[in-house]
Amino acid sequence: MEFRNIIDTQKSVLQRIELKDWKNRGIEVSVKRDDLLDEAISGNKWRKLYYNLQQALHQKSAGIFTFGGAYSNHLLAVAKACSLLGIPSLGFVRGEELTPASNHTLEECSAYGMKLEFLSRELYRLRNDKMFIDELKTEYPAYYAIPEGGANFYGMIGCQEIWKELPGDIDHVFVAQGTTTTSCGLLMGAGENTTIHAVPVLKGFEVKETMQKQLVYALFDEELTDSLLERVCLHDTYHFGGYGKYTEELLTFIQQIYAATGIPLDPVYTAKAFFAMYNELEQPCYDGQKVLFYHSGGIQGCKSVEEKEKIRFFHAG
Ligand SMILES: *Cc1c(COP(=O)(O)O)cnc(C)c1O
């Protein structure tokens, strides 16, 4: 299959939503529904994979290897994309106690033909270490390596291109942050009057430093990087305890937003970012402003929470 045809980006509609008193205050909120791109090659993961897949094909790579945690949206996206393209895929998973049957994400990855190798936490920590990657490349010659979360230059460029599908007059963009690749890409493509509101889902994570490093790497320009970073507004108090943690309040919020808008949110990433936006828009400085919520997908990650909490998120009542 031609790689660009894997996903039809027209499925990612721009959905206007009206909640609270937004309408009276002239706040226009739209949601860029990248969650609708594909269930498995979901949201920002497709954006980050696009140019990586192109490279892997150009290099006639023997396969692709990458890294991810037990419920990784990225691993699943790579698994399905590779299966559609007929490229062997290999996933290095964090946690030697796991097996391909440990959860629905890993089961699905295997079903798409991804070979899974389980690494100890100690080894997994080396996932961005050049020597470790080189070692893996001697073990898997001619494989194309994609870092965890698709966090590389090509990933960023793919996210910058989301702007091709967006109106140019947006004042504020709210986006969930893991590795910061998506927010960096959005920042690179944003107009000079657009503020990027980044909501890190990890606790105590050096966001600005991470973004600075990635942007300098991509742009070769520290001044430009600093001027871009001035347009980032960090909301680092919405992590709900840290990565993968959530509260009863967040789960209830997910149900409320789904009932009011039909938009599903996941408790790891998008619900936290949406909660931040919902809260921040209370401030009068947003009156009359055009706001975009970038829905980065990740709904497959919900299944485990649903099972654990014995609730059905998306069926309020
Ligand atoms: C991976 C992921 C993110 C994090 O994106 P980064 O580019 O790593 O900052 C955000 N939302 C969802 C749903 C994700 O799966």
Side-chain angles (χ1 to χ4, degrees), residues 43-290:
N44 63 346
K45 297 304 183 281
W46 166 245
R47 307 290 180 172
K48 294 196 275 188
L49 280 179
Y50 188 88
Y51 288 108
N52 278 299
L53 293 172
Q54 191 182 58
Q55 259 313 306
L57 290 170
H58 284 171
Q59 294 179 14
K60 301 201 168 28
S61 305
I64 288 178
F65 71 70
T66 190
F67 303 85
Y71 294 96
S72 170
N73 295 323
H74 168 70
L75 274 186
L76 181 58
V78 171
K80 182 166 176 187
C82 285
S83 122
L84 291 172
L85 293 168
I87 306 175
S89 69
L90 167 61
F92 293 102
V93 187
R94 178 175 177 273
E96 58 196 336
E97 74 284 4
L98 299 169
T99 73
S102 288
N103 67 49
H104 64 85
T105 304
L106 298 175
E107 265 170 17
E108 253 184 88
C109 285
S110 305
Y112 282 120
M114 179 177 257
K115 188 180 160 205
L116 298 174
E117 278 199 29
F118 299 91
L119 301 182
S120 67
R121 280 158 181 77
E122 206 178 357
L123 262 189
Y124 192 81
R125 222 168 283 138
L126 298 173
R127 65 195 177 278
N128 293 320
D129 183 280
K130 186 166 181 314
M131 268 170 44
F132 183 57
I133 302 289
D134 286 346
E135 223 173 278
L136 295 177
K137 278 184 179 166
T138 54
E139 213 174 311
Y140 295 96
Y143 264 60
Y144 182 87
I146 301 179
E148 181 188 58
N152 61 9
F153 174 71
Y154 284 127
M156 241 190 293
I157 298 300
C159 291
Q160 177 180 5
E161 295 204 342
I162 298 167
W163 282 103
K164 285 187 181 170
E165 299 160 34
L166 295 174
D169 59 348
I170 291 166
D171 302 303
H172 305 276
V173 177
F174 282 82
V175 56
Q177 256 185 346
T179 65
T180 79
T181 311
T182 306
S183 49
C184 283
L186 284 169
L187 179 62
M188 277 164 52
E192 61 175 341
N193 297 319
T194 308
T195 303
I196 304 293
H197 296 266
V199 185
V201 303
L202 288 96
K203 191 163 103 180
F205 173 55
E206 313 245 291
V207 177
K208 283 257 169 137
E209 290 80 353
T210 306
M211 291 182 81
Q212 208 260 352
K213 217 170 121 191
Q214 288 208 46
L215 286 166
V216 169
Y217 198 69
L219 300 168
F220 288 102
D221 189 331
E222 284 194 32
E223 253 172 72
L224 176 59
T225 296
D226 289 343
S227 75
L228 285 180
L229 282 173
E230 280 171 24
R231 294 193 238 135
V232 176
C233 183
L234 205 60
H235 302 280
D236 57 5
T237 56
Y238 294 100
H239 52 69
F240 287 81
Y243 186 78
K245 304 241 165 68
Y246 51 88
T247 62
E248 201 54 44
E249 184 189 20
L250 191 66
L251 299 184
T252 307
F253 182 73
I254 289 173
Q255 301 215 20
Q256 280 171 356
I257 297 304
Y258 185 73
T261 66
I263 298 173
L265 299 168
D266 80 286
V268 180
Y269 291 104
T270 51
K272 293 177 181 179
F274 201 97
F275 191 95
M277 176 179 78
Y278 194 79
N279 229 12
E280 293 298 323
L281 293 188
E282 288 287 296
Q283 296 179 44
C285 60
Y286 290 99
D287 290 2
Q289 299 278 288
K290 279 207 170 83

